[in-house]
């Protein structure tokens, strides 16, 4: 008599003709990471082209239509196009969830669900941004949530190739603590940059208010934090070399340093050239790359061993009788 036991969803998906192998899920997770960084750039385009209220309401684009209308011009197209990208992110997130479900690993499932739920949450905050006429603090929260989604997508991408065991430290505890401080300062740099943006001229619309803070003073705080971040990065590089840390960790810190150098150069040039649109957009991309490089440093200081999964016997093999002893 055949068993009536219900098969887990992960086993069902894994048995389909198209298998979700590790490389495909890792590719999907990387696509999610790239897409979440990309929408930061498209969001910057909305603000920098003064299209923040191209669709003046939410969730509709106008009171009568969910889509842009010819009367709204290019600003409506830009804002509505950015809204449509949310569905691309959702599609990738759903694919990641299905891939994680097929792998049957709870850690991957949790991460994929967190990223998937964060995307509609991001859309809601975007809607509040429009309904509050581009309040700079709400706009800043919108950006910070994008950084959180980048974090989740990066974690999913890296965890696909790892095991589910406890992380094994690769460097002494003081260096791991230094990495935490480095990450905190990196986030502080981003947060200060958000405040600087809220005090600057690129509000997203002619009538949008600014946060009222002095741009020069806030920019100085931002620059001081950048110098601190660079100093910590250099210290981390020398410390890792001193303890003969794995080459991957040293390389991750070196990559972070050069990303910081590029971002710092763009920041200074844009400040002294009165914030040209192209450089501001590049600087926002750079902020996402600095954070991603920071996460790579933190990840490089520990490892999770991969536990090989024994292959399941084929039906033919499983049905063969076991010879008597």
């Amino acid at each position: 008599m055949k068993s009536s036991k219900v098969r887990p969803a992960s086993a069902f998906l894994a048995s389909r003709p198209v298998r979700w192998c590790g490389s495909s899920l890792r590719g999907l997770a990387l696509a999610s990471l790239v897409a979440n960084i990309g929408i930061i750039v498209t969001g910057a385009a909305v603000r920098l082209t003064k299209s923040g209220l191209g669709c003046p309401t939410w969730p509709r684009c106008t009171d009568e239509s969910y889509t842009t209308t010819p009367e709204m011009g290019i600003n409506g197209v830009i804002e509505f196009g950015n809204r449509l990208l949310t569905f691309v992110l959702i599609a990738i997130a759903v694919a990641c969830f299905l891939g994680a479900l097929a792998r049957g690993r709870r850690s991957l499932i949790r991460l994929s669900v967190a990223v998937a739920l964060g995307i509609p949450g991001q859309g809601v905050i975007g809607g509040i941004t429009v309904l509050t006429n581009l309040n700079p603090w709400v706009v800043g929260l919108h950006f910070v949530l994008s950084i959180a989604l980048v974090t989740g997508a990066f974690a999913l991408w890296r965890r696909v190739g790892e095991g589910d065991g406890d992380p094994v430290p690769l460097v002494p505890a003081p260096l791991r603590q230094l990495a935490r401080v480095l990450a905190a300062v990196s986030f502080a740099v981003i947060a200060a940059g958000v405040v600087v943006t809220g005090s600057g001229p690129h509000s997203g619309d002619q009538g949008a208010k600014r946060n009222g803070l002095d741009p020069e003073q806030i920019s100085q705080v931002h620059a001081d934090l950048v110098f601190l971040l660079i100093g910590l990065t250099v210290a981390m590089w020398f410390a890792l070399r001193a303890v003969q840390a794995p080459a991957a960790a040293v390389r991750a810190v070196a990559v972070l340093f050069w990303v910081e150098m590029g971002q710092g150069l763009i920041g200074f040039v844009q400040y002294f050239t009165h914030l040209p649109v192209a450089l501001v957009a590049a600087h926002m991309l750079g902020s996402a790359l600095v954070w991603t490089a920071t996460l790579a440093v933190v990840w490089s200081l520990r490892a999770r061993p991969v536990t090989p999964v024994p292959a399941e016997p084929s039906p033919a093999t499983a049905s063969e009788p076991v010879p008597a002893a």
Side-chain angles (χ1 to χ4, degrees), residues 45-101:
V46 170
R47 182 169 58 85
L48 295 171
T49 57
K50 295 182 172 58
S51 303
L53 295 177
C55 286
T57 188
W58 187 89
R60 297 178 182 233
C61 192
T62 69
D63 291 334
E64 295 79 24
S65 173
Y66 281 98
T67 63
T68 184
T69 61
E71 294 78 15
M72 300 170 70
I74 187 62
N75 296 118
V77 172
I78 293 173
E79 164 63 6
F80 183 68
N82 189 60
R83 292 187 183 188
L84 287 180
L85 288 177
T86 300
F87 295 99
V88 176
L89 291 178
I90 291 175
I92 297 174
V94 169
C96 286
F97 170 72
L98 292 176
L101 194 64

Side-chain angles (χ1 to χ4, degrees), residues 54-256:
C55 286
T57 188
W58 187 89
R60 297 178 182 233
C61 192
T62 69
D63 291 334
E64 295 79 24
S65 173
Y66 281 98
T67 63
T68 184
T69 61
E71 294 78 15
M72 300 170 70
I74 187 62
N75 296 118
V77 172
I78 293 173
E79 164 63 6
F80 183 68
N82 189 60
R83 292 187 183 188
L84 287 180
L85 288 177
T86 300
F87 295 99
V88 176
L89 291 178
I90 291 175
I92 297 174
V94 169
C96 286
F97 170 72
L98 292 176
L101 194 64
R103 293 289 297 276
R105 289 176 54 186
R106 292 183 179 179
S107 59
L108 299 183
I109 294 172
R110 285 194 296 265
L111 283 170
S112 63
V113 168
V115 173
L117 293 179
I119 294 170
Q122 178 76 312
V124 170
I125 294 179
I128 296 174
T129 300
V130 172
L131 297 177
T132 56
N133 294 320
L134 307 182
N135 181 291
W137 299 107
V138 181
V139 173
L141 179 61
H142 196 43
F143 181 80
V144 170
L145 183 53
S146 288
I147 293 297
L149 286 171
V150 167
T151 305
F154 180 89
L156 178 61
W157 175 56
R158 293 297 296 264
R159 287 299 306 274
V160 171
E162 297 179 333
D164 277 331
D166 294 332
V168 177
L170 302 177
V171 298
L175 286 185
R176 299 198 302 275
Q177 184 61 41
L178 178 59
R180 296 187 188 98
V181 174
L182 178 72
V185 173
S186 182
F187 182 80
V189 168
I190 292 173
V194 168
V195 178
V196 171
T197 299
S199 67
H202 297 297
S203 61
D205 187 78
Q206 295 283 4
K209 295 182 180 180
R210 303 283 72 205
N211 60 26
L213 301 176
D214 186 340
E216 291 189 7
Q217 291 181 358
I218 300 301
S219 296
Q220 185 61 58
V221 172
H222 180 57
D224 292 341
L225 288 171
V226 169
F227 287 129
L228 176 59
L229 177 61
I230 293 173
L232 289 171
T233 303
V234 172
M236 174 67 79
W237 187 83
F238 278 108
L240 290 175
R241 293 291 299 270
V243 300
Q244 298 182 340
V250 178
R251 185 166 56 250
V253 175
V255 169
L256 173 60

